[in-house]
Amino acid sequence: MTTLSQNAPTSKAKREETEDDGRAKRRKMEEEKQRESEQVEMRKLENLLFGSLYNPVSFGERDGDVEGSDGSALFRVDRSAVRQSVDSEDDDDEEEEEERVVVRKGEAAWEDEEEKEININIASVNRLRKLRKEEDEGLISGSEYIARLRAHHAKLNPGTEWAKTDSGITDGDSSDEGEGGGDDDDDILRTNEDLVVKTGGSKLCSGLLEYSQHADANIADPSNAPINSVQFHQNAQLLLTAGLDRRLRFFQIDGKRNTKIQSIFLEDCPITKAAFLPNGSEVIVSGRRKYFYSFDLEHARFDKIGPLVGREEKSLESFEVSQDSKTVAFIGNEGYILLVSTKTKELTGTLKMNGSVRSLAFSDDGKQLLSSGGDGQVYVWDLRTMKCLYKGVDEGSTCGTSLCSSPNGALFASGTDRGIVNIYKKDEFLGGKRKPIKTVENLTSMIDFMKFNHDGQILAIISRMNKNSVKLVHVPSLTVFSNWPPPKKNMGNPCCLDFSPGSGFMAMGNAGGKVLLYKLNHYMNA
């Protein structure tokens, strides 16, 4: 008994030792299997995210042929945190803080060292040949392959400029009281120009035009005949109106009383057009006569000019004045354009089109002249050399009826007898590109009148043949304002239109003898 009792503890200790060794071996085998399983799953996940780096031959296979495409390799249980907590059970919190890896912006969170060791043949698979930089290029490293894929993706999907920033973002806690707090706010607000527009600012919004109607501009002395011309003086307060009742009227525009200043009766000339010289010194008045009038504003004196020497035109009813106030261009017979000096009132030269002339428009500097007419082409003339710089077909036009140039000379609009308006970039048109940047087809009858406002953001288009046939185009977006003409308002048959120098007011004359006055709320100055 004594011998048995002495051997019992020894055999028990041996059994426990054997069991511990078995458990340790089983645990070790389980850990090795776990690691191998995790490596297999990691490779599957890498293949799904970055492509089959370990099996280059399978690049041409479809997505359905890739192992784990059923979603089994997309998710796994991460037990690394559990093992780490068991192994580092006795570690202090300070040691854990030291082992923590800080990832900063611009640094990779994880890098695969095997990428540099793997070679991929991009010439063997059709869909990878686009990544080659040279025609005979074949094998490239895995890291180079990933870099080229990313570059190709960025090329096909360019990012938006407003989302890019040059300023770096630092890691760590930030507060409003920090040094960079105010700068971050400024960076956010730095690109708000196209998103937020202040009332009365320089950028006009598209869609709906904000306006209000005021008392008629000629309420103090309305006409009993169609209004053929309305124009604001450069001081923004004086407005002229003229029409077939042979009266030239001047009004002081304040939006309320619109007091009449003067009315002049021309006994022998129903007025078809009247216009200030841009310098504001005089008014040119014409009708279906072989002469025209010049009215000196300073001395309140009318001068009758014509007929022009050497010409037999029976009508000088249509003309345009250059922006430098030096030249008046009249539409003549048989394709001729007559150039008259505003200083001497004498004919200084003529230009000849192939077809009849129907419309004219000066450039912003007065050195060039645009013309169109019966041959459906737009001519650009150099007034210094008196030669045609360029002529091109106005797209879709058989007969040009109206021309208009923007204040800065970058754009011009051409209207036709079919109600179509083409808007062109002048430089592109002169360079041979005849495709308009926009074609406006909202009107169906002949275009009789067009006008840009002072900053070129609004283009007014008028057709006299139908009631309410007036459209306003938002030039930056090349769209038509949807609330113009005003709904459920009878504007009559529009004849002419003008914006005040600051575009605060817009006056429109109609065939009923009224001059409708509108305040454009976006513009603060008249």
Side-chain angles (χ1 to χ4, degrees), residues 228-229 242-244 246-248 266 268-275 283-295 302-303 305 314-321 328-331:
N228 288 331
S229 292
L244 297 180
R246 307 183 186 187
R247 290 191 178 274
L248 179 67
L266 298 179
D268 59 344
C269 185
I271 302 173
T272 56
K273 183 162 185 176
V283 180
I284 304 297
V285 182
S286 69
R288 291 188 177 180
R289 301 290 185 269
K290 55 185 177 181
Y291 51 82
F292 64 95
Y293 286 95
S294 171
F295 179 66
F302 258 107
D303 293 325
I305 297 123
K314 295 182 179 180
S315 173
L316 299 175
E317 61 186 281
S318 183
F319 67 89
E320 291 294 332
V321 183
V328 181
F330 289 92
I331 292 180

Side-chain angles (χ1 to χ4, degrees), residues 162-177:
W162 61 265
K164 298 178 181 178
T165 174
D166 296 331
S167 59
I169 301 175
T170 57
D171 293 319
D173 296 334
S174 61
S175 62
D176 294 340
E177 298 177 358

Side-chain angles (χ1 to χ4, degrees), residues 45 74 110 113 134 156 182 199 251 302 337 363 387 395:
L45 185 58
L74 291 178
W110 172 80
E113 297 178 355
E134 298 179 1
L156 296 179
T199 303
F251 298 89
F302 258 107
I337 302 170
S363 63
K387 293 182 179 180
E395 187 176 87

